[in-house]
Amino acid sequence: MANERLRDALLRNGLTPEQVANGIGVDPKTVERWITKGRTPYAKHRHAIAALVREAENYLWPNAVAPERATEIGGSEVIKVYPHRNSVPRELWSRLIDNAAEEVEVLVYVGMFLTEDRNLIKIFREKAQAGARIRLLFGDPASREVARRSTEEGIGKNAIAAKIGQALAFFRPLDGVPGIDIRCHGTTLYNSLYRFDDEMIVNPHIYGFQAAHAPALHLRRLSAGDLFDSYSESFETVWKAAKPPKW
């Protein structure tokens, strides 16, 4: 069976089998067999190809890593666990934002703490101009899910919707900036996600707790791991169903 994920990854990155073969030191026919016949490369070649196309090994070859090994690698993707999101050091947020050069992805209902940095609009605009892709997902203030979450936190049915309005007003100057997309979603938010290239802060939600008081995980993507990419895939699923805000 052909490896369509590998084929697609090469096409998206403008790479031919010959270029891949020259880059990792194998015969072009070997690369063709990896694509058309679904053969699995040796580990060293999987690492090299994954790096070339910026995809996880586990995505390109789901069965190549034994489950026990995948579990071990997944644990290594966790850099640190914080008891509360508001205990993540401000210096870490600043480093992640400043160093991001290719991908910035935010999935929240509100993310109001982000608006405390008045330079963030300028920073995101400059990063987009430099070629970064920035995607921001906020809750749909008219959705049942947002109202339910607001009630569950014990702050009133309409409190989170009002906060979303404030957050959208803050980020509205970025609307229409090339490289920056803003959408609203009406999904149940199990985790807030903040991705900066190959690092991510995951804020799992706890029933009855505001997001700032729930735990946070600092992750770093590893080629053969799938923890980081599971959350990234979740972002993509929400993104596809989201719509532009009603400014």
Side-chain angles (χ1 to χ4, degrees):
M1 182 180 295
N3 188 332
E4 297 299 339
R5 292 185 177 183
L6 178 57
R7 189 197 307 274
D8 178 70
L10 297 184
L11 288 172
R12 279 188 284 105
N13 286 273
L15 295 170
T16 65
E18 290 74 17
Q19 289 171 319
V20 174
N22 291 334
I24 65 177
V26 299
D27 190 282
K29 292 182 179 179
T30 299
V31 178
E32 287 285 358
R33 285 193 288 270
W34 292 340
I35 299 171
T36 61
K37 297 185 181 298
R39 303 277 178 83
T40 301
Y42 290 125
K44 65 178 182 179
H45 294 143
R46 296 200 304 271
H47 299 335
I49 294 172
L52 279 175
V53 299
R54 295 188 58 79
E55 286 287 0
E57 278 184 63
N58 193 61
Y59 170 77
L60 296 173
W61 299 281
N63 300 317
V65 180
E68 298 79 9
R69 176 60 178 155
T71 299
E72 180 181 344
I73 295 170
S76 297
E77 289 186 283
V78 180
I79 298 175
K80 189 167 183 175
V81 177
Y82 295 91
H84 313 290
R85 192 208 66 209
N86 61 9
S87 61
V88 177
R90 172 52 61 181
E91 294 76 17
L92 175 58
W93 287 110
S94 296
R95 178 183 68 77
L96 293 174
I97 293 171
D98 290 345
N99 291 348
E102 298 183 0
E103 297 273 356
V104 175
E105 296 173 345
V106 174
L107 169 60
V108 293
Y109 273 159
V110 184
M112 186 62 74
F113 75 99
L114 294 173
T115 67
E116 295 172 4
D117 184 353
R118 302 303 301 179
N119 291 320
L120 194 58
I121 297 299
K122 177 182 177 183
I123 292 171
F124 279 179
R125 184 181 285 114
E126 290 175 347
K127 287 186 178 297
Q129 290 172 347
R133 180 176 67 164
I134 299 174
R135 296 189 289 174
L136 308 176
L137 271 170
F138 298 95
D140 178 353
S143 67
R144 291 178 299 175
E145 288 75 13
V146 165
R148 183 182 300 118
R149 177 67 185 178
S150 193
T151 301
E152 290 170 354
E153 289 188 2
I155 57 177
K157 181 179 179 180
N158 300 315
I160 290 182
K163 291 181 179 180
I164 292 172
Q166 292 177 301
L168 288 173
F170 176 85
F171 286 101
R172 186 167 185 174
L174 296 176
D175 183 42
V177 174
I180 300 180
D181 288 301
I182 302 174
R183 295 185 185 180
C184 287
H185 68 96
T187 64
T188 300
L189 191 63
Y190 298 103
N191 307 274
S192 293
L193 305 177
Y194 308 86
R195 177 185 178 177
F196 308 94
D197 289 347
D198 288 337
E199 294 187 62
M200 182 186 295
I201 301 292
V202 177
N203 181 201
H205 290 191
I206 299 176
Y207 185 89
F209 283 71
Q210 294 184 25
H213 304 300
L217 291 72
H218 180 193
L219 308 181
R220 178 172 292 154
R221 187 186 194 191
L222 297 179
S223 176
D226 63 1
L227 181 59
F228 183 103
D229 285 292
S230 292
Y231 285 114
S232 184
E233 184 176 341
S234 174
F235 178 94
E236 292 294 342
T237 301
V238 178
W239 181 260
K240 290 176 182 177
K243 299 178 180 179
K246 296 179 180 179
W247 301 109

